[in-house]
Amino acid sequence: MKMHGPPTRHGKDFSAVEIKGLGKTYYSGFWKTPHVGLRSLDLNVQKGEIFGFIGPNGAGKTTTIKCMLALHRPTAGQVFLLGKNARDPDSRRKVGFLPERPFFYQHLTASEFLDFYARLFAIPRNQRVRLCGELLEKVDLAHVADVPLGRFSKGMLQRAGVAQALINEPELVILDEPMSGLDPLGRMLVRDIILEQRELGRTVFFSSHILSDVQSICDRVGLIVAGELKAMGRIDTLIDRQIKHVDCTIDVPSGFAFKGEVVARQGHEHLLRVPPEKVEELLTKVMSSGGRVIQVQPARMTLEQVLVEELGKTGKGATRGSTGSDAAHREQTRT
Amino acid sequence: MNRIWAIAMNTYREAIRDRVLFSLLFFGAVVLVASLVVREITIGDQEKVVRGVAQGAISLFSSIIAMFLGIGLVRKELERKTIFTIASKPISRWMFLLGKYLGLLFTLAVNILLMLALYVLLMLLDQGLPHSDLLAFTVLLFVELMLLTAWATLFSTYSGPTTATAFTLSVFVIGHLADDIWLFGQQADHEWIRKLSEILYWLLPNFEIFNVQPQTVHELPIALGYVLSATGYGLGYTAAVLALAVFIFQKRDFA
């Protein structure tokens, strides 16, 4: 009979990941100066969804993941994985994890490597053999099953890492930068595996710098900057909410006047850039003046632009955590 | 238990595929064989000198291997970040540490047995069947290595490789000088020095308790009671050091 232990969420109605008030402070140097890594983070990931965790370098993505898996001891707050307190090792029984830039035992062959991790889940021998074979096929490493990992390329190691993260047929898969170091084919393979997990009813929580991947496969995202969760929600709502202007192409008679930025003009046709709240007023005025509306196009922001904007608001991280694509966006804005 | 065993076997497999271990084992074997040469340059009881040099080689090289492997036991996992994929599995940290430790003990046991087999072979060629007290020598050497490895494991859970090496070597040397610390205190004029030396004597490990080489070299009998009490002391001390290692390891973040 278990008398004491970390609290557990009872019943079936629990999130795959529940983070409440998570905080982490590091102390460094001679004077043990405190550095806040995470600041009262609240986050929920529902079962069966793909959740993308984005933010610049040093924002706290990996720290959050480490706290989730008890690799770090949080300074404050609690984490529940599949309804169980993350302090309890049993909470990780149905969790798979791939760390960022993984390094594995070089002395093991690919099949020994997977078998070792299967043993850590106490998976019976027959099942281990089946799972190892299936997963090596899935990540396209079956042909090098007996080759030591020391001879693997970076991409092959990453794929082997993905295989070990799935060895226990997890209900929750946590991937830290799973696309890093992969060529386009490798990225596609990992993306397909992530999507397949959702089809199997599993939950995927992953962090990534490659925002186009996040945008294309995630159901919801969380944006973390300087240890604080800045935004969280469905991709479409997060992006919709961020519509800054609408490009309206109109054909109006001479003398038509409206307050807005004229982007282009050709004869009676004008391309006007107006704020979203002014669109209705503009269209009414065009119609009443006898003109016609040719095209109305809301300029939806990409996830990348949302991130850049949040970084700009914070005033931190923009320089610290600029990704290549962020830099590209800033360049575009200037021109 | 299966999961601890998996970690232990992986540790063993990694160790036996390490070239440095083979180099150390090779040098140990060379010194063992060279002990036969000593006979040629010795005056007096040549057989005892051969036994002394050979057993000394087994003891020294086993200790070096134990320290070398023990210091890297946890440190390597942390530096290479392989700990991330293991500690994120449903295993407690004490399970991980115990598995690593058991794997190391298994490696050391195989090393000792290999060197011992070579020793027996050499003795058969040189002097005939070794005396039965060789068993007591082996058991106590293994217990000493268990304790030494536990210290190395403790240091490697929280300090860097250089510090862990320095600390483990210090414990090894001090442990062999424990009786001298006691003697030093007894000869002191001041009461506080006597008390301090007594505290240090009881607090620090006494590796000399496991050293029965004088008896085995001279083929003198070793009482079973002595072997049992020394083993009990070694196991108890090892458990305490490992418990401290687990306590520290539980608290640390894996960066």
Side-chain angles (χ1 to χ4, degrees):
Chain A
M1 189 173 70
K2 199 172 180 179
M3 298 294 288
H4 297 288
T8 301
R9 291 279 189 266
H10 294 290
K12 290 178 182 176
D13 193 25
F14 51 77
S15 308
V17 179
E18 186 182 352
I19 297 176
K20 291 168 76 178
L22 190 67
K24 179 69 185 172
T25 304
Y26 299 99
Y27 298 90
S28 62
F30 178 78
W31 301 108
K32 297 293 170 210
T33 318
H35 299 279
V36 178
L38 288 177
R39 224 181 280 266
S40 195
L41 189 82
D42 293 310
L43 198 147
N44 256 288
V45 179
Q46 299 307 313
K47 282 183 177 176
E49 71 175 348
I50 300 178
F51 186 89
F53 200 40
I54 58 171
N57 290 338
K61 300 190 295 293
T62 300
T63 303
T64 306
I65 289 176
K66 283 181 176 171
C67 288
M68 285 164 68
L69 293 159
L71 297 171
H72 274 193
R73 289 162 62 89
T75 319
Q78 283 184 308
V79 177
F80 292 89
L81 300 179
L82 301 166
K84 286 184 180 168
N85 194 307
R87 282 183 297 150
D88 180 0
D90 203 48
S91 66
R92 302 188 286 273
R93 192 169 289 281
K94 280 289 168 192
V95 175
F97 172 55
L98 172 71
E100 187 182 8
R101 289 191 297 276
F103 189 102
F104 302 117
Y105 297 105
Q106 302 206 342
H107 67 281
L108 296 178
T109 66
S111 53
E112 284 174 344
F113 163 77
L114 282 187
D115 186 68
F116 168 61
Y117 284 99
R119 282 169 188 263
L120 295 182
F121 286 101
I123 297 171
R125 193 172 184 282
N126 288 347
Q127 211 178 331
R128 282 206 311 267
V129 173
R130 176 183 64 80
L131 283 168
C132 291
E134 282 175 9
L135 283 168
L136 285 173
E137 285 284 347
K138 193 190 285 280
V139 296
D140 198 20
L141 291 175
H143 61 292
V144 285
D146 298 321
V147 175
L149 296 190
R151 289 195 223 152
F152 275 26
S153 69
K154 198 178 170 189
M156 288 162 85
L157 278 177
Q158 188 80 350
R159 281 185 276 144
V162 172
Q164 68 79 32
L166 302 175
I167 194 71
N168 58 329
E169 300 182 303
E171 287 173 22
L172 167 66
V173 188
I174 299 170
L175 310 167
D176 196 2
E177 299 284 354
M179 314 288 191
S180 94
L182 292 179
D183 58 19
L185 280 177
R187 273 171 61 186
M188 193 184 292
L189 188 124
V190 172
R191 203 162 44 223
D192 288 347
I193 290 174
I194 291 175
L195 290 170
E196 187 191 62
Q197 300 310 304
R198 180 169 57 189
E199 280 169 25
L200 292 168
R202 297 173 182 172
T203 312
V204 181
F205 179 103
F206 83 101
S207 72
S208 182
H209 273 108
I210 304 168
L211 300 182
S212 55
D213 287 332
V214 177
Q215 191 162 347
S216 65
I217 63 175
C218 287
D219 299 306
R220 287 197 310 141
V221 292
L223 168 61
I224 185 170
V225 179
E228 282 182 78
L229 193 71
K230 292 291 179 185
M232 185 169 71
R234 294 187 63 82
I235 297 248
D236 46 6
T237 54
L238 201 64
I239 291 170
D240 273 347
R241 208 180 60 200
Q242 300 289 341
I243 292 176
K244 281 293 158 74
H245 60 261
V246 180
D247 287 336
C248 302
T249 311
I250 50 175
D251 185 355
V252 285
S254 314
F256 180 86
F258 191 82
K259 201 176 176 184
E261 184 191 349
V262 181
V263 179
R265 181 184 297 166
Q266 193 176 17
H268 291 295
E269 270 188 32
H270 293 71
L271 172 60
L272 279 180
R273 180 162 291 171
V274 291
E277 64 276 10
K278 294 277 182 188
V279 173
E280 198 179 341
E281 186 189 338
L282 171 68
L283 299 184
T284 314
K285 199 167 177 184
V286 170
M287 300 309 283
S288 59
S289 70
R292 63 191 179 100
V293 178
I294 298 169
Q295 190 181 39
V296 177
Q297 189 169 21
R300 300 179 68 166
M301 292 185 84
T302 62
L303 199 52
E304 205 166 280
Q305 287 164 319
V306 174
L307 172 62
V308 171
E309 187 159 295
E310 282 298 337
L311 293 179
K313 276 186 211 162
T314 313
K316 303 173 191 173
T319 49
R320 211 170 45 146
S322 63
T323 59
S325 44
D326 297 339
H329 170 75
R330 280 198 298 277
E331 188 63 29
Q332 203 178 14
T333 319
R334 275 200 295 273
T335 54
Chain B
M1 194 61 206
N2 283 345
R3 285 171 284 177
I4 297 174
W5 184 245
I7 294 170
M9 282 301 98
N10 186 51
T11 307
Y12 170 71
R13 192 152 40 183
E14 186 178 16
I16 59 162
R17 291 179 189 180
D18 193 329
R19 285 179 199 160
V20 181
L21 176 71
F22 276 101
S23 308
L24 286 169
L25 206 55
F26 173 74
F27 280 113
V30 168
V31 176
L32 264 173
V33 175
S35 64
L36 294 182
V37 182
V38 179
R39 160 191 283 278
E40 305 304 321
I41 54 170
T42 306
I43 303 166
D45 198 340
Q46 294 167 323
E47 292 188 346
K48 280 182 196 167
V49 175
V50 170
R51 283 199 296 273
V53 173
Q55 289 177 12
I58 294 175
S59 185
L60 179 68
F61 279 92
S62 301
S63 301
I64 293 173
I65 290 172
M67 281 191 277
F68 164 72
L69 293 178
I71 290 160
L73 192 69
V74 178
R75 176 59 29 199
K76 273 203 278 187
E77 298 276 356
L78 295 171
E79 281 175 358
R80 297 181 315 190
K81 301 183 191 301
T82 40
I83 188 90
F84 289 170
T85 43
I86 297 183
S88 58
K89 302 289 182 273
I91 56 167
S92 306
R93 293 191 180 186
W94 69 264
M95 284 177 159
F96 170 78
L97 213 56
L98 187 61
K100 295 291 293 177
Y101 181 74
L102 290 178
L104 183 52
L105 288 190
F106 196 60
T107 314
L108 290 175
V110 171
N111 280 327
I112 291 179
L113 287 178
L114 284 174
M115 284 199 267
L116 214 61
L118 183 61
Y119 174 80
V120 171
L121 185 70
L122 291 175
M123 288 303 112
L124 283 172
L125 291 172
D126 189 64
Q127 309 172 8
L129 197 66
H131 193 269
S132 61
D133 60 13
L134 186 64
L135 186 66
F137 166 80
T138 311
V139 168
L140 291 180
L141 172 63
F142 189 67
V143 176
E144 179 182 346
L145 296 183
M146 284 176 77
L147 181 52
L148 183 61
T149 312
W151 277 103
T153 307
L154 167 68
F155 295 134
S156 79
T157 53
Y158 70 92
S159 58
T162 317
T163 322
T165 308
F167 284 175
T168 310
L169 268 172
S170 305
V171 166
F172 182 68
V173 172
I174 291 169
H176 280 285
L177 297 175
D179 288 332
D180 294 331
I181 294 172
W182 173 272
L183 273 178
F184 172 76
Q186 296 310 305
Q187 289 165 6
D189 293 332
H190 299 286
E191 179 63 18
W192 68 270
I193 295 180
R194 210 164 20 251
K195 283 281 170 216
L196 181 68
S197 73
E198 282 175 17
I199 291 169
L200 284 174
Y201 176 80
W202 289 113
L203 206 64
L204 293 167
N206 186 346
F207 286 127
E208 275 304 303
I209 206 170
F210 310 113
N211 183 10
V212 287
Q213 222 179 306
Q215 289 95 312
T216 50
V217 167
H218 292 91
E219 298 192 328
L220 299 171
I222 301 166
L224 179 65
Y226 179 80
V227 175
L228 289 177
S229 62
T231 303
Y233 166 78
L235 293 181
Y237 207 130
T238 299
V241 176
L242 280 181
L244 186 59
V246 167
F247 178 75
I248 293 171
F249 198 59
Q250 297 269 25
K251 303 259 176 208
R252 72 163 298 161
D253 286 346
F254 300 136

